[in-house]
Amino acid sequence: MAKLSLINREKKRAALVKKYSAKRDALNKIVKDQSVSEAERYEARLKLQALPRNANPTRQRNRCELTGRPRGTFRLFGLARNKIREIAMRGEIPGITKASW
C-alpha cells in the first residue's frame, strides 16, 4: 500500500489538471497559431507559464485504484499487475483467463 500522502497528492493534481484544462488548451491554441501576432503569442506563453505547475497533465502518475501502487498499472483496468492477477485468478474479471500454450 502506498503512503496516503502520495495518493492524496495525486488526487490534488488530478483536480488541478481538470480545473485548468480548458484554460491551458486555449492558451496552447494561441501559442501554436501562426496567424496570431508574435506579441500575443508571447503573452500567451507567459500566461501558460504562470499556471500552477501541477496543473500540467504530464505531472500526473497512474496509480492502482486499490493499493495506490505507482508502477505496473494497467490503464484498461486501473489496477496494478499483481492485483489484476489476484482478481483474475478468482474469476472476477470477465474474459480474463490464465495463459496456457
Side-chain angles (χ1 to χ4, degrees):
M1 186 80 182
K3 287 173 61 173
L4 194 59
S5 60
L6 297 179
I7 295 170
N8 290 336
R9 183 188 304 164
E10 287 300 321
K11 288 179 182 174
K12 282 175 64 175
R13 282 183 181 157
L16 270 176
V17 167
K18 187 176 180 182
K19 179 180 177 183
Y20 287 101
S21 65
K23 189 172 188 177
R24 178 175 288 279
D25 292 340
L27 289 172
N28 274 327
K29 191 174 182 181
I30 293 170
V31 168
K32 292 177 183 175
D33 189 7
Q34 296 292 326
S35 64
V36 178
S37 71
E38 191 64 36
E40 290 178 27
R41 291 172 61 205
Y42 181 72
E43 288 295 321
R45 269 189 236 113
L46 290 179
K47 288 179 183 176
L48 198 59
Q49 290 174 357
L51 292 178
R53 181 175 286 176
N54 284 333
N56 193 342
T58 58
R59 291 180 61 92
Q60 282 185 298
R61 180 93 175 154
N62 292 334
R63 286 187 174 269
C64 177
E65 291 292 323
L66 298 178
T67 62
R69 180 181 166 84
R71 296 176 187 250
T73 305
F74 285 69
R75 289 182 185 173
L76 179 64
F77 304 109
L79 299 172
R81 57 185 173 74
N82 47 6
K83 286 298 171 184
I84 289 175
R85 184 174 189 274
E86 288 176 14
I87 294 171
M89 289 297 187
R90 290 194 303 253
E92 295 176 5
I93 303 177
I96 302 292
T97 57
K98 186 176 179 203
S100 61
W101 61 89

